[in-house]
């Protein structure tokens, strides 16, 4: 039986084919906005508590994307929601803003933030220039960001000794990082104009409420989102090649802030290879590499020791809390107790850090190879966000460090890869449980009186790992069975793919798979 489809007009004005009977069927004048209460099984079930899904006659809400006549459109509602979420985060962190952390208030109120702590630890309160006067434990763009906001605050404090410099520094960072979070939501809305409610997954994320300004991760998140937006705009002309370069620059800047945005380049390269669009991918990868070099050189050449501190710390760091390896250490003595003086396998790795590093790199490399194989063997070319999510998730799963705020790395990719509310919320519940258990562990370490048994923290860490792995499983299933992909219920192919969107597989790939040429999108309607 053939897949019926009906014509629609995408956000760039070009004709595309949309599946008939999907959650956002095409209207006569454009693509109708997807409504989760109709298309998402979890939301549809939960909607019964408030009267059921959106009705068939709710025409005011069921207009083509971009043609709503109301002020409170879906996009504006979502943007307002993320602002509310960030305001709640600011309130949640408010007990720690004055820096007077007495009686472990930063743990009992769960309001600790590196942003405030490192203002003093990195010497910014004394006017020290990052890297030049004090080594910084982060990649250089994060160090630049710290200095760009911290040094003016210090200068202001010198002239106004009555102000609380740490509080001013935190609030200035919170304002800029919140703006980047709002911009990330705006990018998701731009990439999903027919599915604006997908962005509500990010906007209402409990993890965003709890971790938005724990560190500077939103800087990399915002840059990576802009990079994906630029790639999504690439086309088969000179302007498209330039946009591919811009995407590489933005991803390179993100990688110079936190390394993970560079991982997105791998999926771009593999998908471009399958589609025969290798020029754009090479331009992006080259631009990213050049950007990383240009951003690092001003520090690496004059201050090599300060520049290398980030790499030294990551090389010598033992197993950190909440990781796969930490769970293994806990289980070492419970599944197969060792004789006195003997080390279990995970404890042995914690002592032999070089072996731990190589094993972590090897497992991540194998995972990346598996994702590449999936991209080439899948019956239909996967979407970029799907592969990007899998790669970044694999890095976190096998890394020896998985800080509480690293959840922010996965948030936009999860929304773009699999916008289904049920599994997403289960993952978020696990992240909230881990957040609470983590602060209990911190308080116990600070007071030498355990708040709860160690097994509780290990259980919370295990739930976080399991829910991320389950999300990966769902994404892999959607790749192998693209008819179950929620995004392809609404879009013909890959709205994030740019030059890859709707492209045929390359001739070499067709020969390799021994199949005739086929455009990578649903078939034309068949009439009786």
């Amino acid at each position: 039986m053939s897949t019926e489809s009906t014509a629609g007009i995408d956000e760039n004005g070009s004709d595309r084919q949309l599946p008939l009977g999907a959650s956002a069927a095409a209207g006569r004048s454009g693509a109708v906005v997807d409504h989760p209460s109709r298309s998402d099984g979890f939301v549809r079930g939960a909607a019964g508590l408030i009267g059921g899904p959106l009705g068939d006659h709710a025409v005011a809400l069921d207009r083509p994307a971009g043609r709503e006549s109301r002020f409170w459109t879906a996009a504006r509602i979502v943007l307002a929601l993320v602002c509310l979420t960030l305001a709640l985060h600011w309130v949640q962190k408010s007990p720690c803003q004055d820096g007077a952390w007495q009686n472990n208030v930063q743990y009992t109120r769960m309001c600790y933030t590196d942003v405030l702590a490192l203002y003093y630890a990195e010497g910014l309160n004394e006017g020290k220039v990052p890297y030049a006067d004090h080594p910084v434990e982060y990649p250089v763009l994060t160090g630049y960001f710290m200095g760009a906001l911290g040094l003016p605050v210090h200068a202001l404090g010198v002239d106004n000794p009555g102000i609380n410099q740490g509080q001013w520094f935190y609030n200035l960072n919170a304002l800029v990082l919140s703006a980047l979070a709002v911009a990330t939501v705006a990018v998701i809305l731009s990439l999903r104009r027919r599915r604006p409610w997908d962005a509500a997954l990010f906007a209402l994320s409990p993890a965003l409420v709890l971790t938005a300004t724990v560190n500077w991760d939103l800087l990399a998140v915002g840059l990576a989102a802009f990079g994906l937006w630029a790639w999504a705009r690439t086309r088969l002309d000179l302007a498209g090649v330039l946009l591919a370069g811009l995407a590489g620059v933005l991803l390179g800047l993100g990688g110079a802030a936190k390394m993970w945005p560079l991982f997105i380049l791998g999926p771009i390269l593999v998908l471009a290879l399958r589609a025969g669009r290798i020029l754009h991918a090479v331009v992006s990868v080259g631009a990213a590499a050049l950007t990383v070099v240009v951003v690092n050189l001003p520090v690496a050449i004059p201050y090599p020791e300060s520049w290398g501190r980030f790499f030294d710390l990551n090389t010598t760091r033992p197993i950190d809390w909440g990781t796969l390896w930490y769970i293994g250490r806990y289980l070492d003595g419970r599944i197969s107790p060792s004789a006195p003086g003997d080390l279990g396998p995970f404890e042995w790795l914690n002592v032999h850090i070089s072996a731990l590093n190589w094993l972590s790199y090897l497992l991540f490399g194998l995972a990346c190879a598996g994702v590449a194989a999936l991209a080439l063997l899948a019956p239909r070319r996967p979407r970029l966000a799907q592969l990007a999510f899998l790669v970044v998730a694999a890095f976190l799963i096998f890394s020896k460090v998985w800080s509480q705020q690293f959840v922010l790395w996965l948030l936009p990719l999860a929304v773009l890869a699999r916008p289904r509310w049920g599994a997403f919320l289960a993952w978020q519940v696990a992240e909230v449980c881990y957040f609470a258990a983590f602060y209990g562990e911190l308080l116990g370490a600070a007071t030498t009186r355990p708040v709860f048994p160690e097994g509780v923290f290990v259980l919370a860490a295990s739930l976080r790992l399991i829910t991320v792995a389950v999300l990966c499983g769902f994404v892999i299933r959607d790749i192998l069975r693209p008819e179950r992909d929620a995004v392809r219920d609404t879009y013909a192919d890959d709205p994030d793919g740019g030059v890859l969107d709707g492209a045929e597989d390359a001739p070499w790939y067709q020969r390799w798979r021994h199949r005739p040429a086929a455009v990578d999108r649903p078939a034309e309607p068949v009439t009786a």
Side-chain angles (χ1 to χ4, degrees):
M1 184 175 65
S2 65
T3 302
E4 292 185 340
S5 61
T6 184
I9 300 174
D10 70 7
E11 56 268 29
N12 297 311
S14 60
D15 292 332
R16 295 293 170 91
Q17 296 297 314
L18 300 177
L20 189 62
S23 57
R28 284 188 296 270
S29 57
V32 176
V33 172
D34 171 82
H35 297 293
S37 65
R38 295 174 178 173
S39 62
D40 189 286
F42 178 86
V43 177
R44 186 168 59 248
L49 300 174
I50 55 173
L54 188 72
D56 291 336
H57 299 288
V59 293
L61 291 174
D62 211 15
R63 295 173 184 258
R67 302 198 180 190
E68 301 91 339
S69 59
R70 301 163 291 116
F71 176 79
W72 284 111
T73 61
R76 288 171 180 165
I77 291 172
V78 171
L79 288 170
L81 288 174
V82 72
C83 291
L84 176 61
T85 295
L86 293 165
L88 291 174
H89 170 79
W90 185 86
V91 171
Q92 194 271 326
K93 287 288 180 274
S94 60
C96 287
Q97 289 183 22
D98 60 4
W101 295 353
Q102 302 296 322
N103 301 317
N104 294 308
V105 65
Q106 71 273 31
Y107 304 142
T108 59
R109 300 290 185 89
M110 303 182 186
C111 59
Y112 172 84
T113 167
D114 286 332
V115 174
L116 186 55
L118 293 182
Y119 180 70
Y120 301 99
E122 300 290 353
L124 294 169
N125 64 312
E126 301 172 8
K128 292 182 178 179
V129 178
Y131 304 107
D133 300 326
H134 190 276
V136 179
E137 62 184 274
Y138 298 113
V140 293
L141 192 65
T142 298
Y144 294 162
F145 189 81
M146 293 165 59
L149 298 185
L151 296 178
V153 168
H154 168 70
L156 180 65
V158 171
D159 295 333
N160 300 274
I163 71 170
N164 186 327
Q165 291 186 36
Q167 188 168 10
W168 274 65
F169 179 69
Y170 170 78
N171 283 308
L172 182 57
N173 276 271
L175 182 63
V176 177
L177 294 173
S178 295
L180 286 167
V182 174
T184 300
V185 171
V187 168
I188 296 173
L189 288 167
S190 178
L191 295 175
R192 295 290 185 275
R193 294 192 181 187
R194 298 177 191 159
R195 301 182 58 87
W197 296 109
D198 289 355
L201 289 163
F202 185 100
L204 295 174
S205 166
L208 184 64
V209 174
L210 298 174
T211 66
T213 62
V214 168
N215 201 278
W216 290 274
D217 294 77
L218 280 174
L219 173 61
V221 170
L223 289 169
F226 288 133
L228 287 171
W229 180 89
W231 177 263
R233 295 297 180 270
T234 57
R235 293 294 181 265
L236 289 175
D237 54 17
L238 178 60
V241 175
L242 294 176
L243 282 168
L246 176 61
V249 169
L250 291 167
L251 291 173
L253 288 172
K258 299 277 183 175
M259 189 170 57
W260 69 268
L262 296 176
F263 299 155
I264 298 174
L265 295 167
I268 287 176
L269 191 59
V270 173
L271 292 172
L273 182 64
R274 175 167 171 171
R277 301 283 192 252
I278 196 67
L279 171 63
H280 294 74
V282 169
V283 167
S284 286
V285 172
L290 181 62
T291 300
V292 171
V293 171
V294 169
V295 172
N296 277 269
L297 280 181
V299 172
I301 292 177
Y303 315 110
E305 292 185 3
S306 294
W307 175 78
R309 188 182 182 198
F310 166 73
F311 302 99
D312 292 339
L313 286 176
N314 280 277
T315 301
T316 59
R317 193 169 186 170
I319 292 173
D320 203 21
W321 287 0
T323 61
L324 170 68
W325 313 101
Y326 186 92
I327 297 169
R329 283 183 65 198
Y330 174 81
L331 296 176
D332 265 349
R334 286 160 179 79
I335 295 178
S336 56
S338 304
D342 289 345
L343 299 178
F346 288 91
E347 188 60 48
W348 184 90
L349 286 170
N350 192 48
V351 174
H352 298 82
I353 297 176
S354 177
L356 171 64
N357 292 338
W358 283 108
L359 182 57
S360 176
Y361 301 152
L362 174 63
L363 290 174
F364 176 55
L366 291 174
C368 290
V371 172
L374 180 66
L376 296 175
L377 297 175
R380 185 175 176 189
R381 192 172 57 248
R383 293 187 292 107
L384 172 59
Q386 292 174 318
L387 297 189
F389 174 82
L390 292 176
V391 170
V392 177
F395 177 77
L396 292 177
I397 289 172
F398 295 119
S399 176
K400 62 180 182 178
V401 180
W402 192 345
S403 299
Q404 54 174 321
Q405 75 276 5
F406 288 2
V407 61
L408 297 173
W409 301 3
L410 286 178
L411 271 181
L413 298 177
V415 172
L416 296 173
R418 191 177 187 275
R420 294 291 193 188
W421 286 78
F424 182 90
L425 290 178
W427 167 46
Q428 290 297 291
V429 169
E431 289 286 355
V432 171
C433 292
Y434 178 78
F435 181 86
F438 178 74
Y439 275 94
E441 195 81 351
L442 285 172
L443 182 59
T447 60
T448 67
R449 295 190 303 272
V451 175
F452 40 64
E454 176 72 3
V456 173
F457 176 68
V458 171
L459 175 62
S462 300
L463 290 175
R464 176 178 67 163
L465 188 150
I466 290 169
T467 51
V468 171
V470 168
L471 278 176
C472 291
F474 280 131
V475 171
I476 293 171
R477 185 195 65 178
D478 290 347
I479 290 173
L480 296 176
R481 300 179 62 185
E483 70 276 6
R484 304 196 66 160
D485 185 355
V487 175
R488 281 178 167 149
D489 271 355
T490 311
Y491 289 90
D493 188 22
D494 183 2
D496 313 322
V499 73
L500 307 173
D501 186 24
E504 294 181 0
D505 284 330
W508 74 266
Y509 182 83
Q510 295 168 17
R511 291 192 298 270
W512 175 59
R513 294 298 296 268
H514 302 290
R515 66 183 189 183
V519 176
D520 200 6
R521 60 188 181 193
E524 297 293 334
V526 176
T527 56

